[in-house]
Amino acid sequence: MTTKTPDFQQWAAAHQARIEAQLQAVLPAADIAPQRLHAAMRYAALGGGKRVRPLLAFAAGEVTAADPARAAIAGAAVELIHAYSLVHDDMPCMDNDVLRRGKPTVHVKFGEAGALLAGDALQTLAFECLTPLNSDIPSSVQAGLCALLARGAGHAGMAGGQAIDLASVGRQDR
């Protein structure tokens, strides 16, 4: 008996399109006040990247037979955290990058204060995605998801890794 293996490129493309749509849906429209903040958030989060993290969320959802719509929400939350981390990482006080994916970084396009606020807003939006109002998802599950995301992004995760990276700048044993 043979089973048909789905083509990874097709699977990835379908889920990348799905995560783009999910991000479009959760990000505030650029024409709603404060417009500049929302434009910076959309600029940082949309239209680029391989979306590896959401693809992992979709794969985990398939393995566990989770609702694909819920996997999309989890994937969007993780991608928003990733986008926030890139915005902050590119800032002059960190790596001072001026280009990301061939276009000006958020702080170059929207200023340092605009980038800082956009990164902060992307981070909090990730947690909003995991805690929708009037949801049938039990609050204990929502809290657990938030705890996992916070740990991965916090001092023992991504932020801690960035601190280690900054502390090693200029060191020969790096």
Side-chain angles (χ1 to χ4, degrees):
M1 181 171 120
T2 60
T3 58
K4 184 175 180 184
T5 304
D7 177 73
F8 177 75
Q9 296 299 335
Q10 290 176 344
W11 178 88
H15 285 83
Q16 287 163 333
R18 185 170 194 160
I19 200 63
E20 284 298 319
Q22 184 71 36
L23 289 168
Q24 287 278 1
V26 300
L27 284 160
D31 62 350
I32 296 173
Q35 290 96 339
R36 190 156 172 83
L37 172 62
H38 295 160
M41 292 170 68
R42 295 179 74 79
Y43 182 83
L46 296 174
K50 298 175 281 299
R51 307 294 191 213
V52 172
R53 290 148 201 85
L55 290 178
L56 292 171
F58 283 118
E62 289 177 12
V63 168
T64 62
D67 177 357
R70 289 186 177 174
I73 292 167
V78 173
E79 193 65 12
L80 290 168
I81 290 289
H82 177 61
Y84 124 75
S85 75
L86 296 178
V87 170
H88 283 193
D89 183 62
D90 289 341
M91 293 185 65
C93 61
M94 298 286 181
D95 290 350
N96 197 22
D97 291 320
V98 296
L99 292 175
R100 174 148 315 267
R101 300 180 185 129
K103 63 182 188 177
T105 55
V106 178
H107 76 89
V108 169
K109 187 164 177 76
F110 294 92
E112 289 182 42
L116 182 66
L117 289 172
D120 291 349
L122 289 167
Q123 181 187 47
T124 57
L125 182 58
F127 291 98
E128 285 182 49
C129 287
L130 297 178
T131 57
L133 298 174
N134 304 317
S135 174
D136 64 340
I137 300 170
S139 58
S140 61
V141 172
Q142 292 180 26
L145 292 171
C146 286
L148 288 170
L149 190 61
R151 284 187 187 96
H155 70 93
M158 187 176 57
Q162 181 69 12
I164 292 167
D165 182 54
L166 289 172
S168 67
V169 171
R171 292 181 52 182
Q172 295 298 319
D173 60 344
R174 185 174 177 191

